[in-house]
Amino acid sequence: MSKQRVLSGVQPTGNLHLGNYLGAIRNWVEIQQDYDSFFCVVDLHAITVPHNPKTLAEDTYKIAALYLACGIDLQYSTIFVQSHVTAHSELTWLLNCITPLNWLERMIQFKEKAVKQGENVSVGLLDYPVLMAADILLYNADKVPVGEDQKQHLELTRDIAVRVNDKFGTKKTPVLKMPDPMIAKEGARVMSLTDGTSKMSKSDPSEMSRINLLDTPDSISKKIKRCKTDLVKGLTFDDSERPECNNLLTLYLLLSNKTKEEVTAECQDMGWGQFKPLLTETTITALKPIQDKYYEIMDDRGYLQSVLREGRRKAETVANETLSRVKNALGYLPLF
Ligand code: AMP
Ligand code: TRP
């Protein structure tokens, strides 16, 4: 039996932080052997809010290098750039025309981001989830490993697939494959260091709110030293009453590879003065091998380009096949 397919992606905007790593990329690394895995750098999504053309290409390289540095293995996985496979844009158009406007207006992420953009909300920002649906559906993905914040976009993707299948397919020969979200139990929602009730995010204006994968030991140490805590004695996992404590313990659990029971036993009698240096050391140690590998890869542009060239070739084969299937189902005049 052939392996199930996985597809996921990250935008080349800003620095990757612990939320991106623990919520998404680390899980990709863990599951990649069991699936036929495709991971893209979603650079078309990156221009849905105003972007800097001077840094887009370099940021795209950076994310691809971080995928490799975090442990994405080309023996199991394909890494490619979304804009290199034109089928993504083309399928988006076709899906646009069957997606009701009010499905998009309901998206939480759109509403949140639109507020931040003020007068300057692009049609692309509203259309963002349809492009994401195209990403997923083009590869007939069975599973989509993402953080909790993407759940609604996955539901929309499924709704779009159902609609295409109902309108243009038959029960026996559906046009599109139905994907399932894959959301990790822990790390799916890493919270801000300065506010345990809001998620760690690239767009938070405060650098102190997040630890980036490429932060220096000094900077990691400073951020953890100043991060928000509470006045309760002893450290416990408690999402509702102690969001900061819960978040920091979860970070420690994930970065040290310990179980919840181990961390509970180790930290229940600790104070912050004892825990913070421990978390700092653990974070620095966990990120060091990723950082070393990242700088090595970024220094070898030729290698990185060869990875993305080969990735594009593999991705295009799968994507173009799906695109043809959809165009046929919609009744387009085929090429002749
Ligand atoms: P983005 O940075 O928006 O391109 O997100 C890339 C991936 O990281 C997606 O799968 C998100 O769900 C995940 N992600 C982003 N922020 C967090 C967070 N604070 N906690 C967990 N996962 C996150
Ligand atoms: N919207 C996702 C995010 O911000 C990124 C993304 C784009 C994605 N296309 C995708 C994730 C396809 C999974 C599958 O996190």
Side-chain angles (χ1 to χ4, degrees), residues 14-47:
N15 287 313
L16 285 194
H17 52 67
L18 281 180
N20 300 127
Y21 178 55
L22 299 171
I25 301 173
R26 203 169 101 136
N27 303 318
W28 307 353
V29 173
E30 256 163 45
I31 60 162
Q32 63 182 335
Q33 300 191 28
D34 301 329
Y35 294 90
D36 177 22
S37 306
F38 284 77
F39 300 115
C40 58
V41 183
V42 289
D43 57 347
L44 296 171
H45 279 103
I47 69 162

Side-chain angles (χ1 to χ4, degrees), residues 15-207:
N15 287 313
L16 285 194
H17 52 67
L18 281 180
N20 300 127
Y21 178 55
L22 299 171
I25 301 173
R26 203 169 101 136
N27 303 318
W28 307 353
V29 173
E30 256 163 45
I31 60 162
Q32 63 182 335
Q33 300 191 28
D34 301 329
Y35 294 90
D36 177 22
S37 306
F38 284 77
F39 300 115
C40 58
V41 183
V42 289
D43 57 347
L44 296 171
H45 279 103
I47 69 162
T48 53
V49 293
H51 83 289
N52 183 352
K54 292 203 173 72
T55 54
L56 180 61
E58 191 63 14
D59 286 344
T60 303
Y61 276 131
K62 282 186 190 168
I63 300 294
L66 274 171
Y67 285 0
L68 291 162
C70 287
I72 296 299
D73 184 340
L74 299 172
Q75 195 183 331
Y76 311 109
S77 303
T78 302
I79 298 176
F80 68 101
V81 177
Q82 184 189 35
S83 69
H84 288 181
V85 180
T86 56
H88 290 252
S89 301
E90 200 174 343
L91 183 62
T92 300
W93 177 256
L94 303 178
L95 299 181
N96 274 339
C97 297
I98 67 105
T99 305
L101 181 59
N102 67 44
W103 287 8
L104 299 181
E105 288 167 335
R106 281 206 304 263
M107 293 292 115
I108 296 163
Q109 194 167 51
F110 170 70
K111 288 194 266 192
E112 284 174 358
K113 287 192 182 177
V115 171
K116 286 190 196 149
Q117 297 300 317
E119 294 283 292
N120 224 337
V121 180
S122 70
V123 176
L125 188 65
L126 179 70
D127 203 29
Y128 177 117
V130 181
L131 176 59
M132 179 163 165
D135 297 341
I136 295 166
L137 298 170
L138 274 177
Y139 296 87
N140 310 311
D142 297 281
K143 296 275 176 335
V144 184
V146 282
E148 178 79 31
D149 60 344
Q150 297 301 312
K151 209 170 159 188
Q152 195 186 30
H153 290 161
L154 256 298
E155 279 157 18
L156 179 89
T157 302
R158 290 171 59 90
D159 288 342
I160 292 175
V162 167
R163 204 164 159 102
V164 169
N165 289 342
D166 282 353
K167 282 189 170 215
F168 306 108
T170 62
K171 262 230 154 55
K172 259 178 75 191
T173 51
V175 186
L176 295 169
K177 175 95 184 233
M178 203 59 69
D180 283 314
M182 188 186 232
I183 296 172
K185 277 199 290 303
E186 260 126 14
R189 203 169 158 80
V190 173
M191 309 310 279
S192 155
L193 294 187
T194 47
D195 172 8
T197 58
S198 68
K199 70 168 188 178
M200 189 177 283
S201 154
K202 287 173 184 170
S203 58
D204 192 314
S206 166
E207 266 299 319

Side-chain angles (χ1 to χ4, degrees), residues 65-66 68-70 213-215 217 284-299:
L66 274 171
L68 291 162
C70 287
L213 293 189
L214 299 175
D215 276 351
I284 293 170
T285 310
L287 296 186
K288 172 92 171 55
I290 295 176
Q291 298 182 348
D292 290 349
K293 186 136 187 244
Y294 168 80
Y295 290 112
E296 200 181 295
I297 295 166
M298 280 300 272
D299 266 350

